[in-house]
């Protein structure tokens, strides 16, 4: 399941404070306090990756049935290399 792989990758990034346990195609996570949420969302948007803020310092990623292996590899490569 791709969402579990995203969860695993996020947990290993130094700018991620917390990742909620993943059991569906929804990934909810928080950034460390030093990272501005809007800045992060915009950096991802520059790479055609759209992340939604849930408020209360929580961000959401959703994979859906049209989320292909190519999309997944692209996302993982970008999130691992993003410069914050």
């Amino acid at each position: 399941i791709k969402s579990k792989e995203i969860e695993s990758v996020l947990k290993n990034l130094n700018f991620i404070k917390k990742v909620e346990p993943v059991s569906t195609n929804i990934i909810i996570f928080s950034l460390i306090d030093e990272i501005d949420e809007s800045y992060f969302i915009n950096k991802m948007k520059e790479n055609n990756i759209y992340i939604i803020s849930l408020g209360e310092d929580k961000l959401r990623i959703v994979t859906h049935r049209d989320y292909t292996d190519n999309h997944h590899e692209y996302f993982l490569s970008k999130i691992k290399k993003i410069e914050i």
Side-chain angles (χ1 to χ4, degrees), residues 1-50:
I1 182 167
K2 292 177 176 78
S3 57
K4 291 297 279 181
E5 188 173 1
I6 293 170
E7 173 189 26
S8 176
V9 168
L10 290 176
K11 284 182 174 181
N12 290 307
L13 297 174
N14 62 0
F15 56 88
I16 302 295
K17 180 179 4 182
K18 180 181 180 188
V19 182
E20 302 288 332
V22 173
S23 60
T24 66
N25 65 328
I26 299 170
I27 303 99
I28 297 174
F29 65 101
S30 302
L31 302 170
I32 61 172
D33 295 337
E34 295 79 12
I35 306 294
D36 179 70
E37 188 177 281
S38 296
Y39 176 78
F40 177 76
I41 289 171
N42 286 327
K43 288 297 277 185
M44 296 306 290
K45 195 181 294 184
E46 289 172 8
N47 291 286
N48 291 317
I49 298 169
Y50 297 89

Side-chain angles (χ1 to χ4, degrees), residues 9-10 13 15 40 44 75-82:
V9 168
L10 290 176
L13 297 174
F15 56 88
F40 177 76
M44 296 306 290
F75 172 79
L76 293 178
S77 71
K78 293 299 181 182
I79 194 77
K80 289 175 184 176
K81 296 177 185 173
I82 191 166

